Amino acid sequence: MSVRKIAQRYDNRAEMLVQVLVALVQQNGWISEDDIRELADALNLSRADVHGVVEYYHDFRTEPPGSHIVKLCRAEACQAMGGRELAAHAEEVAGGDTTLEAVYCLGNCACAPAVMIDGKTYGRVDAERLDALLASLAEAAS
Ligand code: FES
């Protein structure tokens, strides 16, 4: 569905910008510069207005996501249990088809550090376990 059609579903109301962006990300996985331009026209907003909202929310990606989404918890309980080191390791080993995202609590604090891979949560993840999880993604794809 085009950006204009999504905006029409919300009666082209500027106050529905966040909902339109959510629908767009659900459909396409990300928001392009062209989407922002079209959306600004459709909702009678400036591109800066739309950009401001897109940049404010973490879930509004401005680049196409990889085939796998790995969310690494960066909140306190996970940081205290090695989350920072795990995130640094993930940056080193994640392949180009994997999108890494920082999140702030996955509700799995008792099993910190926690990660979510393609919607499934894992606890007590160290570098070795993360490597195994990423390897299983690669195996599943081949
Ligand atoms: S702080 Fe990481 S899951 Fe809650």
Side-chain angles (χ1 to χ4, degrees):
M1 186 182 300
S2 71
V3 172
R4 288 197 178 271
K5 285 216 161 130
I6 293 173
Q8 282 171 359
R9 281 187 11 214
Y10 294 90
D11 299 325
N12 292 326
R13 289 168 43 209
E15 67 270 25
M16 300 305 281
L17 174 59
V18 171
Q19 287 82 350
V20 174
L21 290 168
V22 167
L24 192 56
V25 169
Q26 283 173 344
Q27 175 182 284
N28 299 343
W30 68 295
I31 298 163
S32 70
E33 272 303 312
D34 286 346
D35 294 337
I36 289 173
R37 192 174 314 112
E38 279 186 54
L39 201 47
D41 283 350
L43 302 184
N44 200 23
L45 292 167
S46 71
R47 286 172 57 190
D49 288 335
V50 179
H51 260 291
V53 173
V54 168
E55 286 166 16
Y56 182 79
Y57 290 98
H58 239 67
D59 283 345
F60 295 154
R61 280 188 209 98
T62 54
E63 291 178 9
S67 328
H68 302 289
I69 309 290
V70 177
K71 297 183 179 198
L72 299 141
C73 180
R74 308 303 298 270
E76 208 168 291
C78 287
Q79 294 302 291
M81 295 299 287
R84 190 167 299 125
E85 295 78 9
L86 183 64
H89 178 74
E91 294 280 349
E92 279 177 29
V93 300
D97 65 337
T98 300
T99 297
L100 299 177
E101 290 183 350
V103 293
Y104 296 88
C105 197
L106 290 164
N108 199 24
C109 318
C111 296
V115 303
M116 180 181 278
I117 300 176
D118 296 337
K120 186 171 179 191
T121 306
Y122 300 87
R124 297 195 175 97
V125 179
D126 58 11
E128 193 176 322
R129 181 144 189 243
L130 183 66
D131 289 348
L133 290 167
L134 294 176
S136 71
L137 294 176
E139 275 175 31
S142 62

